[in-house]
Amino acid sequence: MKQDNKVYNSFLDLIGNTPLVKLNKITSEFEGNFYAKIESFNPGQSSKDRIALYIIEEAERKGILKPGDTIIETTSGNTGFSIAMVSIIKGYECVLAVSSKSSPDKIDMLKTMGAKVYVCPAHVSADDPRSYYEVAKRLHQERKGSVYINQYFNELNIDAHYHSTGPEIWQQTEGEITHLVACSGTGGTISGTARYLKEQNPNIKVIGIDAFGSVIKKYHETREFDEKEIYPYRIEGLGKNLIPAATDFDVIDEFVKVTDEESAHTAREIARTEGMFVGYTSGAVVQGLKQLGEAGTFKKDDKVVVIFPDHGSRYMSKVYSDKWMNDQGFFDSVNEETLEKVQY
Ligand code: PMP
């Protein structure tokens, strides 16, 4: 059992230093040693606690924020939750402009954490004054001393992981890491972590996981924005329909694409094999790992680190709902085990 008798001053002191845990079963068919960085051990249950704390504390250091000032962002996802949590503890107002597509559960969760939530119409273009981007920009201009996190276009998103996730993994693997495999959404996690690790050892291979329906992989290969790559997909937090400035494409060696369906089944398999209840993108990253393993990417002594960005509890009405899986057509007749569940 873990021994830790420390008393902490607030949840802020618990951000970062997440555990690195060996994967013992799900990757056993492949050569190599695999370890997962469990970001749901952050108090806000995701890696986004790191960027919320880092960006807000950078603004404090620069003297931009004083008590009662406002922090603004345009997300109902993990970043929104983390910003709301850090804001409450530090005494700032948190304003989140979110899309009307966001689930009522998510909006309730943000309100519970004290955030003021503006629900903006989903089906307007990004430059429409009613869009959540424009609402956030306007609020930022109107409120003196406010901070707009703007995670897709904020370099501090990269810096947050350069100063925390990267050094932690380097220390936890005693410098023996050979591969980093991580999802890319804003790209902040993979870019900051990879930048630090490659400064320590340029031979470390960095592999990003992207979704079918996202432009990121193609952009990495061609440095061209190809609209034809874009179509709807279900995994949240992975891939994008634009090129984020928070992605440093130069520190990433290659991208692997994964499907909604395989990632969903793999997320469930992680729970059943490793006993780890983690989010949809953790399923995506292990799905990518399987594809790489099958292609013979890893050798016996390799030390491969993957990042599990968040906790499974945020996906009860999605990946972990049999009804949702069935509605997506993700249960099929060849899968006896899941078919039995559906009939039950
Ligand atoms: N997984 C989940 C669940 C996320 O919310 C995010 C962030 N959008 C990511 C992965 C990807 O992290 P990053 O934005 O740092 O690339």
Side-chain angles (χ1 to χ4, degrees), residues 211-215 226-235 238-241 257-260:
F212 284 102
S214 152
V215 291
D226 184 355
E227 257 183 20
K228 292 198 292 298
E229 292 288 303
I230 301 171
Y231 52 87
Y233 58 91
R234 297 182 185 84
I235 315 178
L238 179 65
K240 202 60 192 165
N241 56 0
K257 283 208 182 199
V258 293
T259 66
D260 289 334

Side-chain angles (χ1 to χ4, degrees), residues 46-48 51 77-79 151-152 157 161 183-190 236-238 247 279-282 309-310 315:
S46 89
S47 55
K48 295 298 180 179
I51 71 163
N78 287 329
T79 308
Q151 61 171 339
Y152 281 91
N157 179 353
H161 292 284
C183 289
S184 197
T186 65
T189 306
I190 190 166
E236 294 161 67
L238 179 65
T247 307
Y280 200 173
T281 53
S282 304
D310 69 352
Y315 304 87

Side-chain angles (χ1 to χ4, degrees), residues 12-262:
L12 300 183
D13 292 349
L14 285 164
I15 295 177
N17 286 312
T18 53
L20 190 68
V21 184
K22 190 165 195 299
L23 297 174
N24 291 301
K25 294 180 182 156
I26 198 158
T27 46
S28 58
E29 296 163 38
F30 314 124
E31 298 266 288
N33 306 284
F34 300 89
Y35 303 86
K37 183 101 171 126
I38 316 288
E39 289 294 290
S40 57
F41 271 64
N42 283 300
Q45 298 188 319
S46 89
S47 55
K48 295 298 180 179
D49 282 3
R50 296 176 187 268
I51 71 163
L53 183 64
Y54 186 84
I55 296 174
I56 290 169
E57 292 197 335
E58 274 298 295
E60 287 174 343
R61 272 190 284 274
K62 288 177 191 148
I64 298 169
L65 284 171
K66 53 181 189 324
D69 277 348
T70 307
I71 321 284
I72 300 164
E73 182 56 321
T74 51
T75 172
S76 62
N78 287 329
T79 308
F81 187 90
S82 296
I83 296 167
M85 184 186 80
V86 174
S87 299
I88 278 287
I89 297 169
K90 283 184 169 280
Y92 300 119
E93 188 180 9
C94 170
V95 177
L96 301 169
V98 310
S99 153
S100 55
K101 275 200 309 196
S102 307
S103 73
D105 272 10
K106 279 190 169 174
I107 293 172
D108 286 345
M109 193 158 81
L110 299 171
K111 285 188 183 161
T112 303
M113 295 301 285
K116 185 162 185 192
V117 182
Y118 287 79
V119 181
C120 308
H123 302 292
V124 296
S125 64
D127 54 5
D128 186 295
R130 293 165 298 166
S131 81
Y132 50 90
Y133 296 113
E134 287 300 318
V135 168
K137 262 198 258 169
R138 199 165 57 245
L139 286 165
H140 179 45
Q141 281 156 8
E142 283 167 12
R143 296 195 183 198
K144 252 184 110 192
S146 64
V147 168
Y148 178 19
I149 302 280
N150 202 10
Q151 61 171 339
Y152 281 91
F153 295 95
N154 193 340
E155 286 269 335
L156 295 176
N157 179 353
I158 299 181
D159 295 349
H161 292 284
Y162 176 88
H163 290 294
S164 65
T165 321
E168 287 171 29
I169 292 174
W170 183 251
Q171 282 161 22
Q172 285 168 316
T173 60
E174 295 172 341
E176 290 179 354
I177 173 175
T178 56
H179 297 76
L180 172 72
V181 184
C183 289
S184 197
T186 65
T189 306
I190 190 166
S191 305
T193 308
R195 196 180 278 174
Y196 180 86
L197 291 173
K198 285 200 172 189
E199 276 176 16
Q200 314 311 309
N201 175 3
N203 296 325
I204 295 170
K205 285 275 168 288
V206 176
I207 302 158
I209 304 298
D210 190 22
F212 284 102
S214 152
V215 291
I216 302 293
K217 180 176 193 288
K218 184 80 176 276
Y219 182 81
H220 181 251
E221 287 159 5
T222 63
R223 290 297 194 271
E224 272 171 33
F225 181 83
D226 184 355
E227 257 183 20
K228 292 198 292 298
E229 292 288 303
I230 301 171
Y231 52 87
Y233 58 91
R234 297 182 185 84
I235 315 178
E236 294 161 67
L238 179 65
K240 202 60 192 165
N241 56 0
L242 50 77
I243 309 303
T247 307
D248 179 354
F249 287 88
D250 294 337
V251 293
I252 302 166
D253 295 288
E254 74 173 285
F255 277 93
V256 169
K257 283 208 182 199
V258 293
T259 66
D260 289 334
E261 180 168 357
E262 287 175 315

